[in-house]
Structures are given as structure tokens and as C-alpha cells.
Amino acid sequence: MSKGVLVDITKCIGCGSCTVACKMWNKLEYDNKVPSIGEDATLNDKNWTVVVQSSLNNAKGESVWRFAKQQCMHCVDPACASACFSRALQKNADGAVVYYPDLCVGCRYCMIACPFDVPKYEWSKAAPQITKCQMCSSRIAKGEAPACVAVCPTGVMKFADRQELINEAHLMLKRDDRYMKTVYGEHEVGGTCWLYVSDVPFDQLGFKSKLGSVPLPSYTHSFLKNVPVIALGWGVLLTGMSFYARRRNEIAKAKQAKRNGTDGNQQGEDDDFDEED
Amino acid sequence: MVQTAINKGRMMTSMKRIELFGWKFTITPARKILTFIAAFSIAAMVIRLITGFSLLTNLNDDWPWGLWIAFDVLTGVALAGGGYSTALVVHILHRDKYHPVARGALLTSLLGYILVMAGLFLDIGQWFNFWRPFVSWGHASVLFEVFWCISIYTTIQVLEFGEIVTEKIGIKLHRFFKKILPVLMIIGVVFPTLHQSSLGALFLIAVHKVYPLWWTEYLPVFFLMSSFFIGPAMVCVESALAGKFFGHKVSLNVLSGLARISGRMMVLYLGLKIFDLFERGVVGLAFLGNLEGNMFLLEIIVGVAIPIGIVFSRFGKTRNGLLVYGVLTSGGVILNRMNTVFTSMVSYSSGAYFPSIWEFIVSIGLISIGCLLYSFIVENFNIFDHHPSQRSDKHDNQLSV
Ligand code: SF4
Ligand code: SF4
């Protein structure tokens, strides 16, 4: 069963405990130049999760702060994994999308493919690797919640079966009309394992709002599934054309030879057929 | 600049010639400069492979793919498309009059692919892991197909070239290579057809990132068609240059015939492009006057529409006309690849990338290496004087340039 995490934006106070827990569990350095909490918080090779602060107006027109935790969304049908040509990114049955550094070639196609711009690169290293949240897959395997979920002091996140979480989220939206009427991640690019509910519009929090519900790998799949047929058909067609053209040239040569009497050889490979127009 | 280079080329005959163990190489001022650039850039490449990206490139998380992918790989593969389109015309459709350009096109194409592989190798972070996709099959990835096709096709081209090499060395093998040639030729057309289109398909998954003027489900078809029609255009440019530097004149009839084959494909391409724009309802985007719109118009008008006009006019039957046609068409395809990677993503990633001087040096260095190899091979193997049809050309009296 695919697991997931439900994030309730209304409960987050921006303390950043989750970002610290992530660094400790995954042994990541602190980046002095790029903060992991605040308005300028940015994901990078050292920040696998960040808490981005936004100042905005709520429905009543009051100015408020909101904090959005960002990390890999662990898509149900991940573009990054389908883009990786050496299977260095793989989707686990439990939902986590995991990176295997030994298999990675470093082509960065996964970065192009991810609609949430999650995979980051160790640009400063001599043999750089892709980096991203692994949903603490080794903890999940033991039945534990990801480190960030376990450490949150205000209970912003809940770790459970994805489908259960979706049901629960819809109940929350029904019971409390402060919430926006969507569960972010339920349908985005075919669904993600991280789900969000919020009392302010998602695009104001920096979430991408126009992703649609088509899983991105379906675009490439509809291309790739035709490839074997095209290859085979094209090969057969070319062989046919090659024989046909050669035969036609030979017949033409023979005719030419007849026309010129006996020594047709000299006119040999003339170009009776190369004028297309 | 070009003119002085050409003049230098003319002086070639009076230049020093090295001969070593039966191999010839003429030293000209232009080649000295190329050698210098090549050596300099090789040093930069070594530094890149040892130190990673941050020292020499401006790549960053917002721009994971930069000049090397856009130019060395995407554009390189398209330019090298001349190999398979001429192979199709000469060896499969057996239009023998185009024979004189076949070997030159094959050579450019082979060198093109080798340089593409070099460019790719420089651009991957874990270059010592490059062989992984041969054993760890990420077959849902378009890149997987590109990777396999390019590897196989380069091998095929080396084998195809074997026929030429064994005229001089390993002569015993010549008959063998001649025999397998027809099979190689067919495989050698199938594979480029696949990966030229896959290069476009690479961007299908980036549906939210590529500007709608370029993102379409027809991307693979457009990449394929343009890789086909850039072939003859490159042959025209190459013949003009080879005429200057190596005294190899391809008859005008041959060139304009090729150009017209490619011209028809361009008409199809243009038609499909316009149809696609209307069907997706994004025609208006081309006329917003923004960067994307203008670059798109430039690409379509200067790179496609005007060359079509030239090919089917009287100008297209002169050497000057064919050269202009060749330059515009090749330029148009180069611009298309650049637009797909750069222009189309500027607004998405807030444009935080411009290639560093070192990225340019490496790219120019790869081209220089290509030119040097080309010159060496042309001097030592039978590339141009291979005329099985030996036809005299009556139309070839409008010499100009
Ligand atoms: S958010 Fe991006 S990196 Fe994470 S699983 Fe989805 S596609 Fe992959
Ligand atoms: S950079 Fe690594 S993980 Fe990403 S697509 Fe390439 S090989 Fe796969």
C-alpha cells in the first residue's frame, strides 16, 4: 500500500524543526549561503526540505504569515523515475521515490523532467550526484514515519496510507470552511504521496497551480510505445525501396543498352531516373 | 573573417606538408589556429572532468542543461543528419547522381557523432559511470532510446567507413566491408530516424516548462523532419567550403537536386507547423512581440520560409543561391534547437544562465578538432574522387562565389 503524508498548512508555525531533523537523519551540511527556513528558503543539494514563509492576506483581508514545507512530492507516477535512463530513481511500493547513487550517470534529465523542480545537483563537487528527499525510506521500511513528520512539535503532518489521508482531508474540508476546497496533490500530475490542505490559495504559497492531472510519463509513453513498430516497419520499407530502386535502375540500364546497340556499358550508370520534376 | 580563412585555404598548396609513415598532413595558418584552439580546449576539458562543473561552467539548479547539451549534442546530432539523409537518397533510393556527395556526407556525419559523444561525455557528472545504461535498463526513458541509438549508430557509421578505410589499410577486409554495406546502410537509416525524433521527444515530459510555441506532441516529428532537411543544406555549405579548400567541386545539378528534395520536406514541415499552431490555438503567441514570439518568427521566416523561396526560384540554381540556402537552413535548425532548450525555458526559470567563456571554448574546441580530423581524413583517404558514375555535367557553368 502506498503511504503518504498529509500536511495541514494552517498548523505550521515555521519553527523549522523538520528541516533540522532532515539534516540530522540524512547527515546533510548546513548551507551558510542558502537558508532552509524563511522567505528566501530554497531547496538545494544540502536542503532536502525547506519551510518557505509567505506574507499574504487571508479571506478577511488581514495580513498573515503562512509557512509551506517543501520537499519531493513522491509522485504516484513520478516523471523523474520515468526519465532516468539508468534506473537510478525508482518508485517503491510503499510510495517513496528513492535515488540509487551508484546507478546515476549524472545526465540531469530527472531535473528537466520533474514538474516540481525537486531534484538538485551537487554542483560544487568533482563527481556530483542528484540529491532529493527520499521520504526516509529506510525508516518507512521499519514502519516509522519520516524524520520530519516524527519531530514536528505542532502536528502539522500525518503519515498514513495515502488513500486514507485523502478521505480524511476531504472530511476536514467539509467540516471546516476555513479550508480551500482542494487537496493539493490528490490529482496533480496524476497524484502525489504528499498531500496538502490550506486556508489560503495554494498558488500564493508558491505551489504550482497549473500542472493538470495527466501523469507526465504518459506523454513519453505514447511516443515510446510506437518506436518498435516504426523501427520495424521503416526497416522493411527501406529494404523494399532499396531492392525496388536497384531493380528499376538495372532495367533502365538494360533498356539504355539496347537502345545504344551493343556497347551499353559505357553509358552505364546514367541518370535516367534522377530528375524528379 | 571567413574570407581571410578562405584565402588562407587557397594558399594551401604552397604550405608545408608533413609526411610520416605514408600519412600526409598539410600545415596551413588556419590549421595552426585550429590546433591551438583544440589544444587549449582539451586542457579545459581535462580540468572539467577532474574538478566538476562549478569551476568552468555557469550551470545551476535552474539551468541543469546548458550550452553543451543544446549545441554540442542537440545541434550536433541534427547537423550530422546529413549522413543518413544522403545515405537514404544515394544508397537506398539509388539515385546515383548524388554519389559524389555521399562519402563527404558520411564523413561529416561520423565526425559529428563522435564529437556529440565527446560533448555528452563532458556533460555528464558521473562520466566514469557512462556505461550504466547498458546494464541498468531505464527503458521507460526517452534518453535510454537516444543513448542506445546513438551508440549503435556511431558503431554502424564506423563500420560503413570501414569500406573507405580498407581501400588503403587492411585491404584484405575490403571485400567483406563492401558486402555488408547494404545491410549497414539500412540499419544506418533506421537508427537515426529513431533518435532524431527521440531528441525532440526528450522534451515531451517537460510539458510545463517548454514555451507553448515549441512544446507540442509533434515535437518528435518536427525534430525528425528538420534533421532530414538540414542534411542537404549542410552538404551545400560543406561543398562550398570543400570547393575552396580542397578543390572539390560538386556539380551544380547535384546540389540543386538535393536542395529541392530537402525543399519539399521543408514545405511539409512548415505546413505541419502552422497547422499545429492553429490546432492548439497558440498562433497569437508568435505575435506578442516578446522574446519567445520574435525568436519563433525569426526561426520560421529566416530559417524555413526564405530558404524554401530560394530553393524553388532561379537563385536556387546558382552556387551563390545554394550557399545562402544552405547557411539559412542550417542556421534555422540550429536556432530551433537553441530555442527549444534556451528561449523556451527563459520565462520558466527566470533566465539565470548564460554560458561561461569556458563552455564556449570547449564547444569551439570540439568543432576545431572536427575540422582537423576532417582535413586529415580528406587528405589521406578517397573521399572526394569517388565518382562511380563519372558523368560530365553540362549545367555546371554558372560558377560563382
Ligand atoms: S516531485 Fe519530482 S522528484 Fe519528487 S517524485 Fe515527483 S517527479 Fe520525482
Ligand atoms: S541525473 Fe542520474 S538520476 Fe537523474 S536522470 Fe540522470 S542518471 Fe538518472
Side-chain angles (χ1 to χ4, degrees):
Chain A
M1 274 294 255
S2 178
K3 299 282 182 186
V5 177
L6 176 61
V7 184
D8 185 345
I9 298 278
T10 63
K11 287 190 185 158
C12 181
I13 56 169
C15 69
S17 306
C18 51
T19 65
V20 177
C22 177
K23 284 198 191 274
M24 289 173 67
W25 182 260
N26 296 301
K27 302 196 174 55
L28 303 174
E29 285 166 43
Y30 286 84
D31 193 331
N32 298 326
K33 291 187 210 99
V34 183
S36 53
I37 54 172
E39 285 175 350
D40 300 322
T42 319
L43 292 175
N44 69 6
D45 57 337
K46 301 182 189 83
N47 301 338
W48 290 7
T49 184
V50 294
V51 176
V52 182
Q53 176 183 340
S54 324
S55 320
L56 36 87
N57 296 320
N58 67 4
K60 292 187 202 128
E62 303 157 348
S63 102
V64 292
W65 281 352
R66 285 295 176 268
F67 306 92
K69 181 181 183 295
Q70 294 178 357
Q71 72 296 308
C72 170
M73 299 290 284
H74 298 278
C75 304
V76 170
D77 193 355
C80 61
S82 94
C84 181
F85 69 149
S86 63
R87 290 179 39 81
L89 287 160
Q90 293 177 28
K91 173 94 178 161
N92 286 355
D94 60 21
V97 176
V98 181
Y99 175 64
Y100 298 88
D102 286 354
L103 297 178
C104 179
V105 176
C107 67
R108 311 184 296 285
Y109 188 35
C110 49
M111 302 177 74
I112 301 280
C114 171
F116 300 101
D117 296 321
V118 167
K120 301 294 177 194
Y121 208 51
E122 296 177 323
W123 294 105
S124 56
K125 298 209 174 153
Q129 291 177 350
I130 288 291
T131 59
K132 74 171 200 64
C133 157
Q134 318 261 12
M135 212 159 142
C136 297
S137 59
S138 56
R139 289 175 61 100
I140 295 184
K142 281 189 271 169
E144 293 168 35
C148 55
V149 178
V151 81
C152 179
T154 58
V156 171
M157 292 166 276
K158 184 172 177 191
F159 175 72
D161 274 346
R162 177 173 186 268
Q163 195 50 53
E164 266 172 39
L165 290 174
I166 291 176
N167 300 343
E168 184 177 333
H170 280 289
L171 277 181
M172 287 165 72
L173 305 191
K174 224 181 269 167
R175 263 191 234 128
D176 191 340
D177 58 359
R178 276 183 314 147
Y179 287 114
M180 294 288 124
K181 291 298 161 231
T182 41
V183 180
Y184 191 90
E186 184 180 0
H187 300 298
E188 270 67 24
V189 290
T192 60
C193 289
W194 278 67
L195 303 155
Y196 290 80
V197 290
S198 158
D199 62 338
V200 291
F202 283 107
D203 52 353
Q204 291 186 23
L205 295 169
F207 285 78
K208 298 185 195 287
S209 55
K210 294 192 199 84
L211 293 180
S213 58
V214 182
L216 302 188
S218 68
Y219 289 103
T220 29
H221 180 70
S222 58
F223 167 76
L224 284 174
K225 71 167 196 277
N226 293 324
V227 164
V229 183
I230 295 176
L232 218 68
W234 189 214
V236 171
L237 186 71
L238 287 174
T239 315
M241 288 199 306
S242 174
F243 276 113
Y244 171 72
R246 198 184 302 168
R247 185 85 194 108
R248 196 180 54 175
N249 281 6
E250 272 163 16
I251 293 174
K253 242 182 268 168
K255 265 197 201 141
Q256 185 81 20
K258 227 189 244 166
R259 234 182 283 148
N260 296 337
T262 42
D263 65 67
N265 282 345
Q266 270 186 333
Q267 268 73 20
E269 309 175 13
D270 211 343
D271 49 349
D272 260 0
F273 284 91
D274 53 14
E275 289 309 334
E276 293 232 353
D277 290 352
Chain B
M1 264 262 311
V2 177
Q3 199 54 44
T4 50
I6 287 169
N7 287 338
K8 273 174 196 150
R10 283 219 178 95
M11 291 151 59
M12 198 181 79
T13 36
S14 63
M15 286 298 143
K16 215 172 96 192
R17 189 173 244 214
I18 305 179
E19 289 201 36
L20 210 62
F21 306 118
W23 300 103
K24 303 185 277 268
F25 194 70
T26 313
I27 299 196
T28 68
R31 290 182 189 184
K32 272 191 199 151
I33 296 170
L34 288 177
T35 313
F36 177 75
I37 298 174
F40 196 58
S41 76
I42 288 174
M45 292 175 205
V46 172
I47 294 175
R48 137 74 195 103
L49 291 178
I50 296 173
T51 65
F53 292 100
S54 59
L55 203 59
L56 298 188
T57 77
N58 284 347
L59 294 168
N60 56 54
D61 281 333
D62 289 328
W63 281 93
W65 281 5
L67 184 73
W68 292 347
I69 290 282
F71 187 73
D72 303 358
V73 178
L74 287 183
T75 312
V77 169
L79 292 178
Y84 91 100
S85 42
T86 4
L88 179 64
V89 171
V90 175
H91 294 286
I92 293 183
L93 301 179
H94 294 287
R95 299 207 180 278
D96 292 336
K97 82 162 174 181
Y98 299 122
H99 227 292
V101 298
R103 287 191 161 191
L106 171 64
L107 175 60
T108 327
S109 180
L110 173 64
L111 290 176
Y113 273 93
I114 291 175
L115 296 177
V116 164
M117 305 259 267
L120 256 180
F121 189 72
L122 286 171
D123 199 74
I124 58 176
Q126 309 268 329
W127 45 271
F128 37 81
N129 246 356
F130 76 92
W131 48 272
R132 281 286 180 194
F134 284 125
V135 291
S136 181
W137 286 23
H139 52 72
S141 170
V142 179
L143 196 59
F144 181 74
E145 197 206 319
V146 172
F147 177 79
W148 271 91
C149 282
I150 292 189
S151 312
I152 296 175
Y153 183 49
T154 309
T155 317
I156 296 278
Q157 280 188 312
V158 171
L159 290 177
E160 285 176 359
F161 207 72
E163 192 230 355
I164 299 170
V165 173
T166 50
E167 286 171 357
K168 209 175 150 174
I169 42 177
I171 296 171
K172 279 190 202 135
L173 290 171
H174 187 62
R175 283 187 50 171
F176 167 72
F177 277 108
K178 253 199 131 76
K179 233 186 203 142
I180 59 170
L181 204 58
V183 182
L184 290 181
M185 284 297 171
I186 288 175
I187 308 176
V189 173
V190 171
F191 276 99
T193 312
L194 295 183
H195 75 245
Q196 293 283 3
S197 55
S198 335
L199 283 176
L202 278 181
F203 295 92
L204 285 177
I205 206 161
V207 50
H208 305 106
K209 303 187 183 182
V210 178
Y211 197 75
L213 282 174
W214 289 280
W215 194 95
T216 146
E217 301 213 33
Y218 291 118
L219 255 177
V221 182
F222 286 138
F223 265 57
L224 178 62
M225 291 173 97
S226 51
S227 77
F228 184 86
F229 68 64
I230 198 182
M234 278 298 286
V235 170
C236 287
V237 177
E238 197 191 320
S239 308
L241 292 177
K244 293 289 168 199
F245 288 106
F246 305 107
H248 168 68
K249 283 250 180 291
V250 178
S251 86
L252 204 50
N253 182 26
V254 167
L255 289 184
S256 70
L258 268 183
R260 256 177 295 140
I261 295 179
S262 116
R264 279 186 217 123
M265 182 62 96
M266 292 174 83
V267 172
L268 256 169
Y269 175 86
L270 187 60
L272 189 60
K273 264 241 140 118
I274 294 172
F275 165 78
D276 173 57
L277 289 180
F278 274 102
E279 197 190 52
R280 290 183 297 123
V282 295
V283 185
L285 290 181
F287 304 101
L288 291 182
N290 56 4
L291 174 75
E292 289 88 351
N294 291 341
M295 290 300 269
F296 184 79
L297 288 181
L298 188 71
E299 176 192 321
I300 293 295
I301 295 172
V302 180
V304 185
I306 295 180
I308 290 178
I310 294 177
V311 168
F312 295 110
S313 70
R314 291 193 46 186
F315 190 40
K317 296 204 171 59
T318 65
R319 282 200 189 270
N320 269 334
L322 286 169
L323 183 62
V324 175
Y325 146 82
V327 170
L328 288 185
T329 305
S330 319
V333 177
I334 294 176
L335 186 60
N336 171 261
R337 302 303 194 254
M338 294 298 201
N339 278 343
T340 312
V341 184
F342 290 128
T343 316
S344 76
M345 304 230 204
V346 164
S347 64
Y348 181 81
S349 24
S350 56
Y353 169 80
F354 192 80
S356 73
I357 177 81
W358 295 104
E359 291 176 68
F360 281 112
I361 287 173
V362 165
S363 290
I364 296 168
L366 285 173
I367 298 171
S368 311
I369 294 171
C371 293
L372 289 171
L373 285 174
Y374 183 92
S375 314
F376 173 77
I377 293 173
V378 164
E379 270 185 66
N380 288 280
F381 292 96
N382 194 6
I383 304 296
F384 292 142
D385 306 323
H386 182 69
H387 301 283
S389 49
Q390 291 294 341
R391 59 198 301 282
S392 67
D393 195 26
K394 296 138 222 143
H395 313 278
D396 199 6
N397 46 14
Q398 302 167 330
L399 281 183
S400 41
V401 183

Short mmCIF file of all heavy atoms in Angstrom, two decimals, chain A residues 83-86 88-89 99 104-110 130, ligand 2:
data_model
loop_
_atom_site.label_atom_id
_atom_site.label_comp_id
_atom_site.label_asym_id
_atom_site.label_seq_id
_atom_site.Cartn_x
_atom_site.Cartn_y
_atom_site.Cartn_z
N ALA A 83 12.07 9.28 -16.39
CA ALA A 83 13.07 9.94 -17.23
C ALA A 83 14.45 9.33 -17.06
O ALA A 83 15.28 9.41 -17.96
CB ALA A 83 13.13 11.43 -16.91
N CYS A 84 14.69 8.73 -15.91
CA CYS A 84 16.06 8.24 -15.66
C CYS A 84 16.37 7.03 -16.52
O CYS A 84 15.68 6.02 -16.45
CB CYS A 84 16.24 7.88 -14.19
SG CYS A 84 17.92 7.30 -13.89
N PHE A 85 17.43 7.15 -17.31
CA PHE A 85 17.73 6.07 -18.26
C PHE A 85 18.61 4.99 -17.67
O PHE A 85 18.94 4.03 -18.34
CB PHE A 85 18.31 6.62 -19.56
CG PHE A 85 19.69 7.22 -19.47
CD1 PHE A 85 20.54 7.15 -20.57
CD2 PHE A 85 20.13 7.86 -18.34
CE1 PHE A 85 21.80 7.69 -20.54
CE2 PHE A 85 21.39 8.42 -18.28
CZ PHE A 85 22.23 8.34 -19.38
N SER A 86 18.98 5.12 -16.38
CA SER A 86 19.78 4.05 -15.79
C SER A 86 19.14 3.56 -14.49
O SER A 86 19.80 2.96 -13.68
CB SER A 86 21.21 4.51 -15.56
OG SER A 86 21.21 5.57 -14.64
N ALA A 88 18.33 4.99 -11.80
CA ALA A 88 18.89 5.49 -10.55
C ALA A 88 17.80 6.08 -9.66
O ALA A 88 18.03 6.33 -8.49
CB ALA A 88 19.96 6.54 -10.82
N LEU A 89 16.63 6.31 -10.22
CA LEU A 89 15.49 6.76 -9.42
C LEU A 89 14.40 5.71 -9.58
O LEU A 89 14.03 5.36 -10.70
CB LEU A 89 14.99 8.12 -9.91
CG LEU A 89 15.90 9.31 -9.56
CD1 LEU A 89 15.62 10.49 -10.46
CD2 LEU A 89 15.70 9.71 -8.09
N TYR A 99 16.56 7.31 -4.62
CA TYR A 99 17.71 7.53 -5.51
C TYR A 99 18.82 6.54 -5.19
O TYR A 99 19.18 6.35 -4.02
CB TYR A 99 18.20 8.96 -5.30
CG TYR A 99 19.45 9.34 -6.04
CD1 TYR A 99 19.48 9.36 -7.44
CD2 TYR A 99 20.60 9.73 -5.36
CE1 TYR A 99 20.62 9.74 -8.11
CE2 TYR A 99 21.75 10.12 -6.03
CZ TYR A 99 21.75 10.12 -7.42
OH TYR A 99 22.88 10.51 -8.09
N CYS A 104 23.59 6.25 -11.01
CA CYS A 104 23.40 7.55 -11.66
C CYS A 104 24.56 7.88 -12.59
O CYS A 104 25.73 7.64 -12.28
CB CYS A 104 23.26 8.64 -10.60
SG CYS A 104 23.07 10.28 -11.29
N VAL A 105 24.22 8.43 -13.75
CA VAL A 105 25.22 8.84 -14.73
C VAL A 105 25.49 10.35 -14.62
O VAL A 105 26.52 10.85 -15.05
CB VAL A 105 24.74 8.47 -16.15
CG1 VAL A 105 25.70 8.96 -17.20
CG2 VAL A 105 24.53 6.99 -16.27
N GLY A 106 24.53 11.05 -14.05
CA GLY A 106 24.71 12.48 -13.89
C GLY A 106 24.25 13.29 -15.08
O GLY A 106 24.75 14.38 -15.36
N CYS A 107 23.24 12.78 -15.80
CA CYS A 107 22.79 13.48 -17.01
C CYS A 107 21.83 14.63 -16.68
O CYS A 107 21.61 15.50 -17.49
CB CYS A 107 22.07 12.50 -17.92
SG CYS A 107 20.52 11.90 -17.22
N ARG A 108 21.22 14.59 -15.52
CA ARG A 108 20.32 15.65 -15.04
C ARG A 108 19.01 15.73 -15.81
O ARG A 108 18.33 16.73 -15.78
CB ARG A 108 21.05 17.00 -15.03
CG ARG A 108 22.40 16.91 -14.35
CD ARG A 108 23.11 18.21 -14.24
NE ARG A 108 23.47 18.80 -15.48
CZ ARG A 108 24.48 18.40 -16.26
NH1 ARG A 108 25.21 17.38 -15.90
NH2 ARG A 108 24.75 19.04 -17.37
N TYR A 109 18.67 14.68 -16.51
CA TYR A 109 17.38 14.65 -17.20
C TYR A 109 16.23 14.63 -16.19
O TYR A 109 15.17 15.18 -16.44
CB TYR A 109 17.33 13.44 -18.13
CG TYR A 109 16.13 13.38 -19.04
CD1 TYR A 109 15.57 14.54 -19.58
CD2 TYR A 109 15.57 12.15 -19.40
CE1 TYR A 109 14.48 14.46 -20.43
CE2 TYR A 109 14.49 12.08 -20.26
CZ TYR A 109 13.94 13.24 -20.77
OH TYR A 109 12.86 13.16 -21.61
N CYS A 110 16.48 14.00 -15.03
CA CYS A 110 15.44 13.98 -13.99
C CYS A 110 15.09 15.40 -13.55
O CYS A 110 13.93 15.69 -13.23
CB CYS A 110 15.90 13.16 -12.80
SG CYS A 110 17.55 13.58 -12.21
N ILE A 130 22.82 13.55 -7.83
CA ILE A 130 21.49 14.13 -7.65
C ILE A 130 21.13 14.01 -6.17
O ILE A 130 21.51 13.05 -5.51
CB ILE A 130 20.48 13.34 -8.51
CG1 ILE A 130 20.68 13.66 -9.99
CG2 ILE A 130 19.05 13.61 -8.09
CD1 ILE A 130 20.30 15.07 -10.39
S1 SF4 C 2 20.98 12.52 -13.31
FE1 SF4 C 2 21.13 10.45 -12.51
S2 SF4 C 2 19.18 10.10 -11.52
FE2 SF4 C 2 18.89 11.87 -12.83
S3 SF4 C 2 18.12 11.02 -14.75
FE3 SF4 C 2 20.33 11.16 -14.98
S4 SF4 C 2 21.12 9.18 -14.37
FE4 SF4 C 2 19.01 9.31 -13.60
#
